[in-house]
Amino acid sequence: MRRVKLDLAPRPLSGAQIRQVRDALGVSQGVFAAFIHVSVRSLQDWEQDRKEAPGCAARLIGEMLRDPSYWNRRLREAVEMADSV
């Protein structure tokens, strides 16, 4: 049996990094907040470094930061699905 040590804790994100992701997706705070299912107020607090994004949000936004083009496609797909309903 092998033991593996994993560091799975999400990395803290600065407000600038969160804004960078939102800008890369080309969406407003309201649209981005809805996409990640948080309140606009929470997103504003994170972007202005008043509060730190909690673990699950930090993980998701961190993944978006790594590959914004994939998340841009996912966002557009969500908008298209909403339009077709």
Side-chain angles (χ1 to χ4, degrees), residues 66-78:
R66 292 184 70 200
D67 190 1
S69 62
Y70 169 80
W71 291 99
N72 195 310
R73 286 191 310 274
R74 295 292 295 130
L75 178 63
R76 302 300 170 225
E77 288 169 4

Side-chain angles (χ1 to χ4, degrees), residues 9-83:
R11 305 281 189 258
L13 297 169
S14 69
Q17 289 174 304
I18 295 170
R19 279 190 306 275
Q20 178 184 348
V21 169
R22 186 169 58 80
D23 289 343
L25 296 178
V27 295
S28 67
Q29 286 180 332
V31 171
F32 189 65
F35 185 56
I36 63 172
H37 202 69
V38 299
S39 70
V40 173
R41 179 65 182 182
S42 292
L43 179 61
Q44 290 169 341
D45 285 344
W46 304 341
E47 285 191 356
Q48 295 172 14
D49 288 318
R50 289 192 297 249
K51 292 184 181 177
E52 191 172 294
C56 57
R59 167 81 68 206
L60 178 59
I61 296 168
E63 290 300 314
M64 291 177 171
L65 190 59
R66 292 184 70 200
D67 190 1
S69 62
Y70 169 80
W71 291 99
N72 195 310
R73 286 191 310 274
R74 295 292 295 130
L75 178 63
R76 302 300 170 225
E77 288 169 4
V79 169
E80 288 174 12
M81 283 191 344
D83 286 344

